[in-house]
Amino acid sequence: MAGQARKQKTEVHKRNRRTERRGAGADGEEVRTEEARAGEARTGKGRTEEAPTDEVSTGEASTGGASTEGTRTRTESRHREEPAAQGRVARVRQWWSRAWGSAGHERHTLLLIGKSTLAATIAWFFSYNLVEAESPAFAPFSAVLIMQVTVYQSLLQSLRYVGAVATGVAVQAALGYLAGPDLLTFALVAVVALVIGRWPALGSQGSQVATAAFFAFSTYVTAPAGLGKITHLAQIILLVLIGCGVGVIVNVALVPPLRYRSAEHGIHTLARALCDLVSDMYPAMRQGEMDKERISHWRGRAEQTGGLITQAENGLRTARESLYFNPRSRLGRHRGRTGFEGYGAVLEALKRTMYQLASLTRSLDQWRQDGNERDRRFLRGYADFLESVSRIAQVLGEVNEDTLADQARDLRRLADEAQRHCRQVTDRADRDGLPLTDPGYPYGVLVVEATRLMDELQYTCDVLQSQVDER
């Protein structure tokens, strides 16, 4: 019985929302009253006019041909009506679903883990089974260490790493041969290696000079006297060369990370993170399932986007870098590509959008709701606004230079819809006389955050449209 009541409640919410959209004027004012809509929902009036939610949200814009229709289909595929399930197992399933469904942070993480595992395994096979080295772990360690985000970085860091290791081993060999393997020699090796590690040319691999020198000292002490000591030290350099070589080859041969650091990648990552979070929020708001655990989870996810923002900023630097020495840059649609115009402006707007969303979730987390009808009406209106935001974010998560004209047209239409819902949130707060200036209630903060969020999204859509107009 509880499940049937829940289902009926969900259907009532759907009908109410569709009726609101059909009854809204151009200025966003609702034509019908709440009581009239509630009466229609109870009596079933207006069911003959019922249309699928996706058709209503898509609107009347039909220009753009098949490409536009394809964009709408992809956008609607992530539309969610029910709140996301809670619990550790459910969230793990959602993480894997995001990894499978979109080329975002989750999929990038899995790909990097898979490539690193393969490189380490191959390097271990060479060092242990073929070379039969005394310390075979040097090879897989080196392979994983230089598995960078771009082929160019893999090559650059490999050269620096090999140079650092060779320098550390050379320092140990020279001082060990001259002074012998005693405590004073170790201290001297440490000082020299740490000083050399400060050399700017070695970059982030400078610390490997001292690390290699320490391992070399250990090997030098335990190796047999005479030629055996030199052989064991040379073997360390050989293992590092094997590991770096395997790592670079795997990185080049197995999905070289061109698309993950293309000029569009930062936009895709942030937009998909925005879409995933907002798509979890608005169904729960609409159905009034705003428990403390759920809101805290939203806040945690919003505050963890700092890593994605940093990654997107690094993408601006590595977008061009990813083309160097990358075979995919000379194939198909990537040939001659120089980057995504307007990338910086759009990225900055999305960053500000993520900050606004984090502020919004903090306000919700601090809200102690009374559970009255006024709160429920406000949350339902806010849910409609966030749903429209999720549709914009979904398109931004798939933005592509090849189809930018059609996507910009869709974004303009979706932005108009979101603006209408944003105005309805403000109008509803005024009509209900909500205490917007009372610090004990977050109504005022939520209204302000909705306006700011809409401003940033509108700016993003305008930037993309300007890029289309300049072509």
Side-chain angles (χ1 to χ4, degrees), residues 344-378:
V346 174
L347 184 58
E348 286 298 319
L350 279 176
K351 283 169 50 181
R352 293 191 295 269
T353 299
M354 298 303 297
Y355 294 143
Q356 298 298 338
L357 187 61
S359 176
L360 191 155
T361 57
R362 285 195 297 270
S363 299
L364 287 174
D365 194 27
Q366 297 167 2
W367 187 10
R368 299 298 177 263
Q369 301 175 50
D370 299 332
N372 54 39
E373 181 59 29
R374 182 182 64 178
D375 285 351
R376 289 193 291 268
R377 280 199 304 269
F378 181 79

Side-chain angles (χ1 to χ4, degrees), residues 129-146:
N129 296 88
L130 299 184
V131 179
E132 297 182 350
E134 293 292 331
S135 302
F138 274 107
F141 173 77
S142 302
V144 172
L145 185 66
I146 58 88

Side-chain angles (χ1 to χ4, degrees), residues 94-142:
Q94 292 161 18
W95 190 96
W96 281 99
S97 176
R98 291 194 294 270
W100 180 262
S102 63
H105 171 70
E106 292 82 0
R107 183 180 295 181
H108 173 64
T109 300
L110 292 179
L111 181 60
L112 187 59
I113 291 174
K115 292 171 65 174
S116 299
T117 301
L118 178 61
T121 304
I122 296 174
W124 174 267
F125 172 78
F126 276 105
S127 62
Y128 183 78
N129 296 88
L130 299 184
V131 179
E132 297 182 350
E134 293 292 331
S135 302
F138 274 107
F141 173 77
S142 302

Side-chain angles (χ1 to χ4, degrees), residues 389-461:
V389 169
S390 73
R391 296 183 184 279
I392 295 176
Q394 173 63 17
V395 176
L396 290 175
E398 299 167 348
V399 72
N400 187 295
E401 284 184 297
D402 298 334
T403 58
L404 187 58
D406 294 328
Q407 290 174 324
R409 191 159 39 242
D410 278 350
L411 285 170
R412 188 170 63 249
R413 172 180 52 79
L414 293 172
D416 291 341
E417 178 184 345
Q419 288 280 15
R420 184 173 69 253
H421 288 300
C422 185
R423 288 193 299 270
Q424 288 175 354
V425 169
T426 305
D427 294 343
R428 170 58 61 190
D430 290 338
R431 283 196 299 272
D432 285 353
L434 298 180
L436 300 181
T437 59
D438 189 341
Y441 295 91
Y443 298 119
V445 176
L446 291 177
V447 169
V448 171
E449 296 298 348
T451 303
R452 291 176 176 174
L453 192 63
M454 188 63 246
D455 288 344
E456 298 298 346
L457 290 173
Q458 184 67 63
Y459 174 73
T460 303
C461 298

